[in-house]
Amino acid sequence: MVQSAIQTRHHQAFPTLLPEEIERVRRFGELRHFSAGEHLARVGEHAEGLMFLLSGAVDVFQSHGGERSLIVTHETGGFMGELAQLGGRPALVDAIAREPTDVIVIPTPRLPTLLIAEAELGERIMRALILRRVGLIETGAGGPIIVGSSDNRDVLRLEGFLSRNGHPHLRLDPESDPCGKVLIEKFKVSPEELPIVVCPRGDMLRNPTETELARCVGLISPLDPNQVHDVAVIGAGPAGLATAVYAASEGLSVLVLDCRAFGGQAGASARIENYMGFPTGISGMALMARAYNQAMKFGAEIVIPCDTKSLEPDNAGCGAFVLRLGEDQRVKARTVVIASGARYRRLDVPNLDEFEMSSVHYWASPLEGNLCAEQEVALVGAGNSAGQAVVYLASRAKKVWLLARGGSLEASMSQYLVDRIRNLSNVEILLNTEVTALDGADGRLESIRWRRAGGPEETHAIHHLFLFIGADPNTDWLKDSGVELDGKGFVLTGSGLCDSAGKLLETSRTGIFAIGDVRAGSVKRVAASVGEGAQVVAALHAYLARQAEPTVAARA
């Protein structure tokens, strides 16, 4: 049996602090007493923050589809909580005082101060919070239950959303799992209404949108339209998260908005091997999850999913920009960083949308890998992302057909990936090849037709197709914003503007910056995006300082 992260690293997941360490924590919180049997946290309800035990004992339970099991018993020197408390989100576990218990409660708004002020202790606490979340994800404890078959396109959509946002969940197939059948009978659900989602507090949703699901599990809550942030970052990919980490660590109030998940396209990479500092490679999700947690540690507010609709000046004249969001929400910020990245390009075949999510995929994660295990799959693309996906899929699939429209992989793919792919016995490379048609029914792909240059059309019985054919800039929301774009829709900055005055990352509108893949002329690499995310923070400080100068002069 494979052991969970909590089992293999129990001492790191549940450290016991020394009395002198508890004393160092005391100044950040407040004392609370809980009677025997009283809840310190309930699944689906907001907990007050991290709780450090001065005396007594607390049992922490996880739930699996209605069944509860003990994770750990905290005693004096232990602390109760996980990443949900760092982000001010609902608890994923039940915590009950076994006996009269005294604790120091560190409220969520004060947690960044503790983690930063007490560097060594903060590192141990942060590691424990991350490992506890990993353990919950591995078991699916504390999250929603998705009822539906594994190949249902909406099940894949919802599972993908939760997985890419690091949120635990369970999936029950009503055809094979008795608990799934019970839930369908309980809520009187007809087959065409599947999937359903049962949230931790008992609410049931019929095939919800990502936003509906996120609200039900407590990932998002209403934003304050009157609060003015120092910087609003649009996009939580490598560039946006880097901005959040560096800006928040330097004391700026940071709001990050993303319409789907943190990590962007980098988060969907099966393995990144050319990012400095990781000689053995790292999955895109693991790298981006670290950045996400780091931004949260420094106090950045991250809202996902949240669709940004438009950008406009504040007509009230408070010196801030206004971002119009979905569901008629709006937020204000003194500066805006556009890091909205790009949208995946779609294959030009008539019925593509019939198979998207169920049989046509734009990333290769373990979720998709499980779907196509021991099957033949096809992948279209010739860039680094395509190469990384081929290597990953080759470890799961019976055979991978790599279809490249050009005449060479070396022209667009790193040599180390080309060499690795050519040495994989279950990968067949077809150059100068284009997909001509997709055949299937009821959202399930049955075969793919393609044609090699000068050859006849071929038909292959393949049920899963992966598309890595590039991306277009995600800038539709900037229409009528006054931010200049180039002919392809990328944001012009610095040298791309006639009056740039050497401001490399600033757009045509003062106070608005663009970084990462969405910026015209950017280098499409994770490291380059992270570098621009760090670099733009200096420009933010300079702009905010200039804006404050008249106020300072007036006071003088």
Side-chain angles (χ1 to χ4, degrees), residues 13-55:
F14 303 107
T16 299
L17 304 188
L18 299 173
E20 55 268 30
E21 292 174 322
I22 292 291
E23 284 304 309
R24 283 155 50 190
V25 168
R26 188 186 292 269
R27 64 191 174 100
F28 297 98
E30 51 200 42
L31 297 178
R32 285 285 308 277
H33 175 79
F34 292 89
S35 303
E38 190 174 355
H39 276 77
L40 284 75
R42 293 178 189 268
V43 172
E45 296 183 7
H46 285 83
E48 298 181 49
L50 293 189
M51 300 185 185
F52 295 78
L53 272 69
L54 298 174
S55 64

Side-chain angles (χ1 to χ4, degrees), residues 44-76:
E45 296 183 7
H46 285 83
E48 298 181 49
L50 293 189
M51 300 185 185
F52 295 78
L53 272 69
L54 298 174
S55 64
V58 176
D59 292 328
V60 179
F61 298 93
Q62 62 183 3
S63 297
H64 297 85
E67 296 183 4
R68 200 168 71 170
S69 60
L70 181 69
I71 301 176
V72 69
T73 297
H74 291 301
E75 297 180 327
T76 301

Side-chain angles (χ1 to χ4, degrees), residues 512-527:
I512 300 176
F513 304 83
I515 58 174
D517 289 358
V518 76
R519 188 176 70 83
S522 66
V523 178
K524 305 301 188 281
R525 288 289 186 271
V526 174

Side-chain angles (χ1 to χ4, degrees), residues 175-192:
E175 296 297 322
S176 58
D177 195 302
C179 292
K181 293 180 181 178
V182 168
L183 288 172
I184 286 178
E185 292 171 0
K186 176 182 178 180
F187 292 107
K188 297 180 174 60
V189 179
S190 60
E192 59 271 15

Side-chain angles (χ1 to χ4, degrees), residues 46-272:
H46 285 83
E48 298 181 49
L50 293 189
M51 300 185 185
F52 295 78
L53 272 69
L54 298 174
S55 64
V58 176
D59 292 328
V60 179
F61 298 93
Q62 62 183 3
S63 297
H64 297 85
E67 296 183 4
R68 200 168 71 170
S69 60
L70 181 69
I71 301 176
V72 69
T73 297
H74 291 301
E75 297 180 327
T76 301
F79 59 92
M80 199 282 297
E82 56 94 41
L83 287 177
Q85 281 66 64
L86 186 61
R89 296 185 175 121
L92 299 175
V93 297
D94 290 311
I96 304 172
R98 175 180 288 187
E99 57 192 60
T101 300
D102 292 309
V103 303
I104 300 171
V105 179
I106 313 293
T108 293
R110 297 185 205 167
L111 287 177
T113 305
L114 165 64
L115 297 174
I116 295 168
E118 295 288 343
E120 187 275 333
L121 184 56
E123 178 184 345
R124 290 167 58 198
I125 293 171
M126 194 69 194
R127 182 182 294 112
L129 301 184
I130 292 171
L131 287 172
R132 294 174 189 183
R133 172 56 66 91
V134 170
L136 293 175
I137 291 173
E138 289 174 339
T139 62
I145 300 172
I146 301 173
V147 182
S149 61
S150 61
D151 59 354
N152 181 294
R153 63 192 299 171
D154 289 306
V155 169
L156 293 172
R157 172 178 60 83
L158 297 172
E159 280 200 281
F161 169 74
L162 292 169
S163 296
R164 294 192 67 188
N165 282 293
H167 198 82
H169 64 279
L170 287 175
R171 182 184 59 80
L172 303 178
D173 190 331
E175 296 297 322
S176 58
D177 195 302
C179 292
K181 293 180 181 178
V182 168
L183 288 172
I184 286 178
E185 292 171 0
K186 176 182 178 180
F187 292 107
K188 297 180 174 60
V189 179
S190 60
E192 59 271 15
E193 293 179 300
L194 292 175
I196 62 168
V197 177
V198 181
C199 297
R201 298 186 66 179
D203 300 329
M204 193 274 287
L205 305 175
R206 286 176 166 83
N207 195 13
T209 64
E210 285 91 339
T211 300
E212 290 170 339
L213 175 58
R215 183 173 292 108
C216 194
V217 299
L219 287 180
I220 56 175
S221 55
L223 294 164
D224 182 356
N226 297 313
Q227 181 180 357
V228 181
H229 302 269
D230 290 326
V231 56
V233 183
I234 315 305
L241 289 178
T243 302
V245 168
Y246 288 103
S249 69
E250 294 180 14
L252 298 181
S253 61
V254 180
L255 175 67
V256 183
L257 307 171
D258 196 285
C259 63
R260 177 161 176 78
F262 66 80
Q265 294 186 61
S269 297
R271 179 159 294 272
I272 300 173

Side-chain angles (χ1 to χ4, degrees), residues 337-348:
V337 175
I338 301 168
S340 49
R343 297 185 303 263
Y344 297 107
R345 286 187 187 141
R346 303 172 75 245
L347 198 64
D348 187 18

Side-chain angles (χ1 to χ4, degrees), residues 185-464:
E185 292 171 0
K186 176 182 178 180
F187 292 107
K188 297 180 174 60
V189 179
S190 60
E192 59 271 15
E193 293 179 300
L194 292 175
I196 62 168
V197 177
V198 181
C199 297
R201 298 186 66 179
D203 300 329
M204 193 274 287
L205 305 175
R206 286 176 166 83
N207 195 13
T209 64
E210 285 91 339
T211 300
E212 290 170 339
L213 175 58
R215 183 173 292 108
C216 194
V217 299
L219 287 180
I220 56 175
S221 55
L223 294 164
D224 182 356
N226 297 313
Q227 181 180 357
V228 181
H229 302 269
D230 290 326
V231 56
V233 183
I234 315 305
L241 289 178
T243 302
V245 168
Y246 288 103
S249 69
E250 294 180 14
L252 298 181
S253 61
V254 180
L255 175 67
V256 183
L257 307 171
D258 196 285
C259 63
R260 177 161 176 78
F262 66 80
Q265 294 186 61
S269 297
R271 179 159 294 272
I272 300 173
E273 295 189 71
N274 58 355
Y275 189 76
M276 189 180 71
F278 294 92
T280 59
I282 184 172
S283 74
M285 176 53 71
L287 181 64
M288 292 298 97
R290 294 183 184 193
Y292 174 83
N293 292 330
Q294 195 172 16
M296 297 280 283
K297 167 187 172 180
F298 287 119
E301 183 180 358
I302 304 177
V303 183
I304 303 173
C306 186
D307 196 10
T308 304
K309 299 294 186 181
S310 65
L311 167 63
E312 56 193 61
D314 181 15
N315 296 326
C318 69
F321 300 99
V322 174
L323 290 159
R324 301 285 178 179
L325 312 176
E327 300 185 324
D328 295 324
Q329 292 195 95
R330 67 174 190 165
V331 292
K332 297 178 183 178
R334 295 180 179 89
T335 62
V336 175
V337 175
I338 301 168
S340 49
R343 297 185 303 263
Y344 297 107
R345 286 187 187 141
R346 303 172 75 245
L347 198 64
D348 187 18
V349 293
N351 56 346
L352 178 69
D353 58 341
E354 294 180 24
F355 307 110
E356 286 179 312
M357 294 305 299
S358 59
S359 302
V360 173
H361 315 283
Y362 295 90
W363 49 83
S365 72
L367 185 63
E368 290 76 30
N370 290 335
L371 282 175
C372 64
E374 299 305 317
Q375 300 181 38
E376 289 193 16
V377 303
L379 185 146
V380 181
N384 275 3
S385 294
Q388 291 159 354
V390 167
V391 172
Y392 171 71
L393 291 171
S395 69
R396 310 297 296 272
K398 179 181 179 181
K399 180 175 182 177
V400 179
W401 296 85
L402 173 55
L403 314 179
R405 290 176 292 182
S408 167
L409 292 182
E410 286 81 358
S412 53
M413 188 182 295
S414 294
Q415 191 62 47
Y416 82 93
L417 282 171
V418 176
D419 294 340
R420 183 169 297 167
I421 289 170
R422 293 194 187 281
N423 281 287
L424 292 171
S425 61
N426 64 335
V427 175
E428 184 164 347
I429 303 170
L430 302 181
L431 302 176
N432 300 306
T433 302
E434 292 194 15
V435 172
T436 54
L438 304 177
D439 301 310
D442 299 324
R444 290 175 172 80
L445 186 63
E446 296 174 358
S447 64
I448 302 174
R449 286 181 269 167
W450 63 66
R451 178 181 286 111
R452 284 181 269 187
E457 186 177 64
E458 304 175 27
T459 301
H460 294 260
I462 292 175
H463 306 303
H464 290 280

